[in-house]
């Protein structure tokens, strides 16, 4: 069963911030939120992950609501190369727990 | 450079001809897994391994075998491929210890079974 819900597709203008939402209302206290993306048919690429606090790295920012039931991935200045399918994944910390990929959000960055 | 490699990247074969897709990682990761990706079905896990000689079935293991004789390698074996195994395959690895860690994916192997 999917643990996350994401919009099927989104558009974003080049140079603007892309905000990708994810609902994970059944998340447990020890489960992490991960974001991956897949450009065309390449291997999925890790973007960022977090537990409770907001996180930022060179690629993106992750904003997790206080109740942890939803999160938003922010690409601050989207480029055409950010066009991809973005996956939000909830995963526990225990050894051997798998990454379950849903259908994701297809982000199209438009010139 | 930390990476997961897969070979071959592309393969066209015929029904029933045994094949092996190799996967290797250079990060000393304990956990490795295989996924297949089909249009409309997303990424589905085939098999995974939590360490050498420890393997387990994922969501779609039928028709596949794996082995984990060394930490770095995790080959996917199709003993008798069939057309419904035509797919895009990804190998992945991560360190496996508790707490959040990223999973690294290989570049993919596009398999066509005629």
């Amino acid at each position: 069963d999917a643990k996350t819900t994401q919009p099927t597709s989104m558009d974003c203008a080049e140079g603007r911030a892309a905000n990708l939402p994810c609902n994970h209302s059944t998340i447990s206290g020890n489960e992490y939120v991960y974001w991956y993306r897949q450009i065309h048919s390449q291997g999925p690429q890790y973007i960022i992950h977090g537990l409770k606090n907001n996180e930022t790295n060179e690629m993106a920012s992750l904003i997790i609501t206080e109740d942890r039931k939803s999160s938003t991935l922010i690409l601050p200045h989207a480029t055409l190369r950010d066009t991809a399918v973005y996956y939000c994944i909830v995963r526990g910390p225990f050894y051997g727990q798998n990454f379950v990929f849903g259908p994701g959000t297809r982000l199209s960055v438009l010139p | 450079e930390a990476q997961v490699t897969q070979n071959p990247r592309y393969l066209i074969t015929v029904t029933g001809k045994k094949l092996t897709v190799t996967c290797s990682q250079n990060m000393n990761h304990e956990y490795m897994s295989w996924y297949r990706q089909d249009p409309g079905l997303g990424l589905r896990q085939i098999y995974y391994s939590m360490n050498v000689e420890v393997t387990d079935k994922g969501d779609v293991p039928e028709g596949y075998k794996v082995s984990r004789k060394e930490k770095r390698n995790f080959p996917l074996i199709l003993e008798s491929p069939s057309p419904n195994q035509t797919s895009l395959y990804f190998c992945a690895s991560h360190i496996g210890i508790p707490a959040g860690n990223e999973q690294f994916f290989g570049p993919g192997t596009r398999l066509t079974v005629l």
Side-chain angles (χ1 to χ4, degrees):
Chain A
D1 293 337
K3 288 188 171 183
T4 65
T5 306
Q6 299 177 252
T8 302
S9 63
M10 293 181 63
D11 291 339
C12 176
E14 187 178 18
R16 304 296 292 269
N19 296 282
L20 291 91
C22 179
N23 286 318
H24 31 79
S25 57
T26 61
I27 192 169
S28 300
N30 59 4
E31 289 183 315
Y32 288 77
V33 179
Y34 290 79
W35 283 85
Y36 281 77
R37 73 180 182 184
Q38 188 174 25
I39 297 172
H40 195 44
S41 294
Q42 298 176 20
Q45 177 190 21
Y46 166 82
I47 301 173
I48 199 167
H49 74 280
L51 182 62
K52 297 179 185 177
N53 300 322
N54 298 338
E55 302 288 344
T56 296
N57 63 20
E58 64 278 5
M59 287 182 68
S61 294
L62 173 61
I63 308 298
I64 303 175
T65 58
E66 194 169 338
D67 63 7
R68 303 210 323 123
K69 293 185 176 182
S70 65
S71 61
T72 301
L73 178 74
I74 301 172
L75 307 178
H77 306 286
T79 70
L80 298 179
R81 287 184 292 183
D82 291 321
T83 292
V85 177
Y86 288 76
Y87 300 97
C88 171
I89 299 164
V90 166
R91 177 184 178 266
F94 302 110
Y95 191 72
Q97 283 187 289
N98 301 325
F99 288 81
V100 179
F101 286 76
T105 296
R106 182 170 296 278
L107 175 69
S108 298
V109 180
L110 307 174
Chain B
E1 179 190 354
Q3 60 181 353
V4 178
T5 56
Q6 296 178 227
N7 281 294
R9 296 288 314 279
Y10 302 90
L11 179 60
I12 300 174
T13 189
V14 295
T15 299
K17 186 176 181 181
K18 181 179 178 180
L19 66 92
T20 299
V21 183
T22 64
C23 173
S24 183
Q25 50 92 5
N26 63 0
M27 296 166 280
N28 202 36
H29 285 170
E30 293 186 336
Y31 186 94
M32 298 184 73
S33 60
W34 275 102
Y35 295 83
R36 62 177 288 174
Q37 186 172 33
D38 304 289
L41 295 176
L43 277 149
R44 295 180 292 167
Q45 191 177 57
I46 303 171
Y47 267 94
Y48 64 94
S49 169
M50 291 197 284
N51 213 327
V52 175
E53 304 291 2
V54 181
T55 63
D56 211 343
K57 297 177 180 178
D59 298 321
V60 287
E62 294 77 22
Y64 304 94
K65 286 175 59 177
V66 292
S67 70
R68 188 88 182 274
K69 292 181 168 43
E70 307 166 276
K71 202 171 191 178
R72 63 181 292 127
N73 296 323
F74 190 44
L76 179 69
I77 303 156
L78 284 72
E79 295 270 5
S80 183
S82 62
N84 65 11
Q85 293 178 297
T86 292
S87 188
L88 179 58
Y89 291 87
F90 292 103
C91 181
S93 76
H94 74 84
I95 196 165
I97 60 175
N101 285 288
E102 66 183 280
Q103 181 165 225
F104 293 83
F105 283 82
T109 295
R110 188 169 292 281
L111 172 66
T112 301
V113 183
L114 303 175

